[in-house]
Every structure is written in C-alpha cells, then in structure tokens.
Amino acid sequence: MSSSVFLPDESETGATPAVVHPPLPTGATTTVDAEPRNALDRFFEITRRGSTFGREIRGGIVTFVTMAYIVILNPLILGGVDDVTGNALQAAQIGAATGLTAGVMTILFGLIARLPFALAAGLGINSFLAVSVVGQVTWPEAMGLVVINGILIVLFGATGIRSAIFNAVPAPLKAAITVGIGLFIAFIGFVDSGFVTRTPGGPPVQLGDGGSITSVPTLIFLLGLLVIGVLVARRVPGGILIGIVASTVVAIIAQAFLKLGPSFEDPNGWHMTIPEIPASFVTIPDFGLIGQFDLFGSFSRVGALAATMLVFTLVFSNFFDAMGTMTGLAKNAGLAYKDGTFPRLRSAFVVEGLGAVAGGATSTSSNTVFVDSASGIGEGARTGLASVVVGLLFLLSMFFTPLTLVVPIEVGSAALVVVGAMMMAQIKEIKFTNFAVALPAFLTIVTMPLTYSIANGIGVGFIAWALVNALSGRARKVHWLMWIVAVGFALYFVRGPIEVLLAG
C-alpha cells in the first residue's frame, strides 16, 4: 500500500477535505496533525491516522470477508483426526470455538493495541498439531502445549525480549519481510483460486489444469481480480469490498446455472465453499471444547525432552510468523515509524501471545495475527476500530455459520492478490546494489512463498544476514541478538534430525 494519505472527500463526510500536514516526528507516514472529532475518534486516533469512521467499518468488513474461511477450514484441519488414544475433536464444536476465540481476541487486540490487525487460528500451527503432534499425544495434551507456547510468548512480549529482537532486525530485512509477505499472500490467492496448481510430475506448480484455465471458479477469480484491481486503481472508496460483493453475486448466479461441486470431487469445482443461498441462516453454537486442555500431560506421555522440542517448534513458528506479519501489515498501513517499529508495539506482542493461550484453552489452536488483515488495510483501515468490527462479525458468525459459506474462496483470493501487489511497494526500501543486503533480503522474500511459511523466510533471512555480513568484513552490522536468533533458527531448521536423535 502506498504511504500517501488518502483523506475523506466531500462525498464521504459532507465537508471540505482536511488539510494534509507533514508527518509528525514519529515518522509514521499516515499520521496527520488534526484534532479528533469525539472521544471514540480520540481513543482510536482515527483522524490522526488519516482515516474515517466509514473506512474503518469498510476495512473491518473486508478483512472479515477475506478471512471468514477460517471458521470452515479450521474444523476441516483439526476435526476428525484421531489422537494417540483414538479420540477426535468434533467439527461443529471446533467451528463454534473458532468464531468465539477469533472474535474475542480480535476485539481485545483492537481495544488494547488499537491496530487494524485481526486474529484467528493460525493455519501453520493447526496443521502442525494435526499432522505431527497428536500422533504422539492426546488432543487435550496438544492444546496444553499450545497454552505453554502462548504463555512464553506473552512473557517475551511483556518483558521486552520480543521488542528487543524486533529492534535488532535491520531495516532492509524488515522491508524484505513486508515484500515477502506480499508475495506469500498473492501466492496463497493463486493457489486457493486454482490459478496455480500442483503438477503430477515435472515442475512443482503449473497454470490451472495442465497449463490451462479450465474452471469457472478460476475464471471468477480472474474477474474479481480485474474488478477489484480497476476499482483500487481508480481509487474508488470501498473498491475492494465492492469488488468482493460483485464477484460473489456473479459466483452465486454461475452456481445456480452450472451446479458445480467441490474441487475434491470435480477438478473444475469450487476450492472450498460453494456460493449458494443457504436454506437456513441461523445455527446454535456448541462450546463444549472450551477448557478441554491438559497443561503438562504431554511431558509425562512423551518425556520432557520430546515435549520441550514440540514447544520449541511452536514458539519459533508462532513468535516469528506473527512478528513478521505485524511488521508487514504496519508498513503496508503506513503506521511504521522510521526504525520499523509501530504504535503500541509491546501491547500488540502481549495480546498476540494471549491469542495463543486462548487458542489452546478453546482447542482451536494458537490464535495469531492474520496476514489477511492486509485486505482491510488495503480498503483503508488504519486503527483498532476495524479490528473491533472484525471481532464482532466473528462473534456473529457463530450464529450465522451458513452465511460464511456464501463468499467463495476464489473471490477472497482475488482480494489477496491485489493486496499482495500493494505490499510490493516496500521493495524500494531495499538497496539491491549492496549484495550484502541484497542476498539476505532476496532469500527472505522468495523463501516465504516457496516454503509456504513466513517464519521460514524470516529465519533464512536472519541466518543469511549474519553470515554474509560477518564473512564479508561487516560483522559490526550484525546485532548480537541477530546471532542468537540465527542460531535458534538453525536449530529450528534441523529439528527433524534432532527429534530422531532424541527418540533414539
């Protein structure tokens, strides 16, 4: 997203557009010297950040629409997977708890951190739990590990350790993290829409099916991409939201005539949700999973070393994935200061850690800041008011689950690609003529989409920055904390062989 400030015009406020003042000494690029209109404006700093109430509401709606899939996807990932004792979590309970936890934590984040970031069950960690952890421990024991992971992250945030590590990261790497996240979310959009798919053999990915676009859902993704892109290029207020709604209407009409099924049955079908008007709109949530965790049971079941390694993996993934995501989102929103930090940094880190605790306590997996928040930022969200809107919509989603199925993932994917393009603007902050900067930045950028992990990109970038600069005579450019974290990432990347040795 450009760092320029788009202030309200007469059509939005009925008043003469405000005068744009130079950025205040903080360096936050969207900060303007303006008096708040009321107490709510003062609390969230809406006018001060160059935003309006309308933009915050629209931004919150767009963010929710873009990430509402988690209420459906999280039960698919965690539900029906037998743990070491043969027990499984119930999908309906996971869905209700997912909406509840995301709603409460996102509202808390909006009120305390006052940033336009939304929280929900992190896809990396929930997959790790379902694939790698519950084969060794029970679901309550696995969620106990998630709670421990969250407590550690809260301590790191509250004591300033997390902030210290954040401040030790060089500015070019922070910019590279933003660019890498932009490519990552665009790649997610391409994959989720069917525009990019796996190949049976040969190259890892291909265009569509056999190198060709063959499905109507993917064509609707391209239509949505075009509509949203044109609206954003023309600076139409609410462009992303308008594009999502218009594309969804087209998808509903197409489905009414074509009667397409899911992609796992038909390669030309919808990739997650089928856009149909639901027969019923209201459901009663089941909160039976809340409090079903065993804090220390895994340590007695698999041993202290093995359990510690699992916690180590969770902390590293959670800690740096969220830190990188918040860095990218703050820069994209124009809220980052000159040193790369952003307002209420420590509060943001602490609340994000509490999200992990809450996710474990509700058996929904660690709740963390979602990169999909970039869609709402692209719509103009700049404050915690947008997060409050997202949280309220998540709470409502518990009772209106069928409505979350109306917007297909192909339409949400179009918004992600557009926002990914916006985030690429930060590449101008990287001095590629200096190869000691260029190589770590490049590795950070490309590793995120190619390994499908923000944390992996950060880790590779940290290690490369430390080694390249030290071995090329620039050791003074490497903060001592960077060395500690780089060593930690090196251990993280070889944790597989370490786990094998511990098991032996």
Side-chain angles (χ1 to χ4, degrees), residues 462-472 478 483:
F462 277 29
I463 293 172
W465 181 276
L467 292 178
V468 170
N469 279 278
L471 297 177
S472 59
V478 184
W483 281 112

Side-chain angles (χ1 to χ4, degrees), residues 4 6 14 29 46 60 88 122 146 159 171 178 180 191 203 209 230 260 262 268-269 283 288 389 410 412 429 444:
S4 58
F6 301 114
T29 52
I46 297 171
V146 174
T159 58
T178 305
V191 172
D209 184 11
V230 170
L260 300 175
N268 293 321
T283 56
V389 172
E410 288 82 359
E429 305 293 333
T444 299

Side-chain angles (χ1 to χ4, degrees), residues 432-493:
F432 279 100
T433 54
N434 181 351
F435 201 69
V437 170
L439 181 60
F442 172 76
L443 292 175
T444 299
I445 292 169
V446 299
T447 300
M448 288 185 190
L450 293 182
T451 66
Y452 234 61
S453 168
I454 294 173
N456 286 348
I458 295 173
V460 170
F462 277 29
I463 293 172
W465 181 276
L467 292 178
V468 170
N469 279 278
L471 297 177
S472 59
R474 301 177 178 87
R476 288 179 298 177
K477 290 183 174 291
V478 184
H479 194 285
W480 64 271
L481 277 175
M482 286 286 290
W483 281 112
I484 294 176
V485 177
V487 171
F489 265 116
L491 293 173
Y492 173 74
F493 289 143

Side-chain angles (χ1 to χ4, degrees), residues 14-176:
T16 303
V19 177
V20 179
H21 295 269
L24 296 181
T26 58
T29 52
T30 61
T31 302
V32 294
D33 188 8
E35 288 297 320
R37 300 178 181 180
N38 50 48
L40 189 65
D41 188 352
R42 183 179 299 106
F43 180 80
F44 286 110
E45 298 184 312
I46 297 171
T47 301
R48 182 178 171 82
R49 294 185 184 178
S51 186
T52 66
F53 288 98
R55 285 183 188 155
E56 295 304 308
I57 300 299
R58 287 200 308 269
I61 294 172
V62 167
T63 294
F64 172 76
V65 169
T66 307
M67 63 185 288
Y69 65 86
I70 192 61
V71 178
I72 307 303
L73 186 57
N74 202 38
L76 293 177
I77 293 174
L78 298 178
V81 179
D82 291 342
D83 61 21
V84 69
T85 62
N87 294 316
L89 302 179
Q90 299 301 311
Q93 293 179 326
I94 300 172
T98 297
L100 175 66
T101 310
V104 171
M105 292 312 306
T106 301
I107 291 173
L108 191 65
F109 192 91
L111 294 175
I112 295 178
R114 302 175 198 173
L115 296 165
F117 308 164
L119 282 73
L123 291 176
I125 289 182
N126 62 7
S127 299
F128 173 67
L129 292 173
V131 174
S132 303
V133 178
V134 296
Q136 306 175 57
V137 300
T138 67
W139 274 113
E141 290 165 354
M143 293 304 170
L145 293 174
V146 174
V147 172
I148 294 172
N149 150 69
I151 292 172
L152 291 174
I153 291 176
V154 169
L155 291 175
F156 291 150
T159 58
I161 294 175
R162 200 171 188 181
S163 299
I165 294 173
F166 183 92
N167 293 330
V169 180
L173 275 188
K174 289 177 180 174

Side-chain angles (χ1 to χ4, degrees), residues 229-241:
V230 170
L231 291 174
V232 171
R234 295 178 66 89
R235 297 189 178 182
V236 174
I240 295 177
L241 181 58

